[in-house]
Amino acid sequence: MSADVFVIDHPLVQHKLTLLRRKETSTNSFRRLLTELSMLLAYEVTRDMPMHEVEIETPLEPMRSRLIDGKKTVFVSILRAGAGILDGMLQVIPGARIAHIGLYRDPKTLVAVEYYFKVPAGMEGRDAIVVDPMLATGNSAVAAVDRLKETRPRSIRFVCLLAAPEGLAHFRAAHPDVPVYTAAIDRQLDAHGYILPGLGDAGDRLFGTK
Ligand code: URA
């Protein structure tokens, strides 16, 4: 069965996304907004995460109440721009584990080439949330999830800020079982694989490298 695409249309998400997209937004503000957006996206992507009941005592009486097991969650950051999403997500689930997948886009072919892969042990018992701000051609996302599936996590979700229709179609064709969470689906890709209207190069804007 094909998993869903969730567009997070919440006013707070859309407001912050507008500020983030603007070309005059400074590196400092870009980072802060990306962290805030990541917290809001974390809230949506974890909406149905597993819970267990524990016995606690309030100041007035005992009760049974619910907890998540944060350690079972793994945020899988696609380097380098995925790193910008980790801070916000970790503020919401501080116990989560982190995986890194290093991929660069060959500038000529736009094909994703792997240069780093490190995930926690015991992925079979964990829920993976792959994070990358931009789902553009989909090549990196498809390659990252291909590789991640070799570790057999209990579940996989993909979270981005912006998706291009072309990248979304590519990803869904390759991984129809992986739900996608995004703040917006933009118009199209340009000839260099950038999302239009987009927000420019997420890594450069995040790290101030341009
Ligand atoms: N990566 C980016 O950072 N921006 C785009 O528009 C596409 C890919």
Side-chain angles (χ1 to χ4, degrees):
M1 208 181 64
S2 187
D4 288 320
V5 176
F6 299 93
V7 179
I8 315 300
D9 204 27
H10 192 288
L12 287 176
V13 171
Q14 295 306 316
H15 174 86
K16 291 176 193 299
L17 182 58
T18 300
L19 301 181
L20 190 83
R21 283 181 189 269
R22 293 166 74 175
K23 65 178 181 190
E24 58 273 25
T25 296
S26 67
T27 300
N28 184 6
S29 301
F30 191 92
R31 263 185 218 138
R32 181 182 44 78
L33 287 162
L34 187 54
T35 297
E36 291 170 4
L37 277 159
S38 304
M39 291 169 71
L40 296 169
L41 294 177
Y43 182 78
E44 291 294 337
V45 72
T46 55
R47 187 172 277 285
D48 60 354
M49 78 192 294
M51 307 197 74
H52 58 277
E53 276 202 356
V54 291
E55 192 78 39
I56 60 165
E57 283 187 34
T58 76
L60 299 178
E61 63 179 24
M63 70 173 288
R64 291 189 69 76
S65 196
R66 292 177 301 163
L67 291 175
I68 61 164
D69 188 355
K71 297 192 293 295
K72 297 278 185 217
T73 298
V74 184
F75 296 125
V76 182
S77 166
I78 301 182
L79 297 172
R80 68 182 164 144
I85 294 190
L86 290 179
D87 271 1
M89 295 235 163
L90 283 170
Q91 283 183 41
V92 178
I93 311 180
R97 302 317 195 217
I98 309 290
H100 289 98
I101 302 183
L103 298 163
Y104 69 87
R105 284 204 298 179
D106 183 297
K108 286 208 178 72
T109 61
L110 303 183
V111 167
V113 183
E114 181 183 312
Y115 63 88
Y116 190 74
F117 185 82
K118 187 82 182 172
V119 300
M123 286 296 284
E124 297 83 358
R126 303 184 192 273
D127 299 303
I129 300 177
V130 183
V131 300
D132 190 352
M134 311 298 270
L135 181 58
T137 61
N139 291 342
S140 303
V142 168
V145 174
D146 279 343
R147 191 70 172 82
L148 185 64
K149 280 184 173 175
E150 292 173 16
T151 70
R152 303 195 166 280
R154 185 164 67 178
S155 70
I156 305 180
R157 284 150 207 240
F158 186 88
V159 181
C160 59
L161 270 189
L162 296 184
E166 300 92 325
L168 198 52
H170 179 195
F171 185 79
R172 307 241 326 123
H175 297 296
D177 53 320
V178 177
V180 175
Y181 296 75
T182 184
I185 301 172
D186 274 10
R187 192 178 70 247
Q188 67 184 95
L189 292 179
D190 74 6
H192 306 286
Y194 280 90
I195 298 177
L196 297 173
L199 51 75
D201 190 301
D204 281 340
R205 296 199 64 186
L206 178 63
F207 297 112
T209 42
K210 212 166 227 167

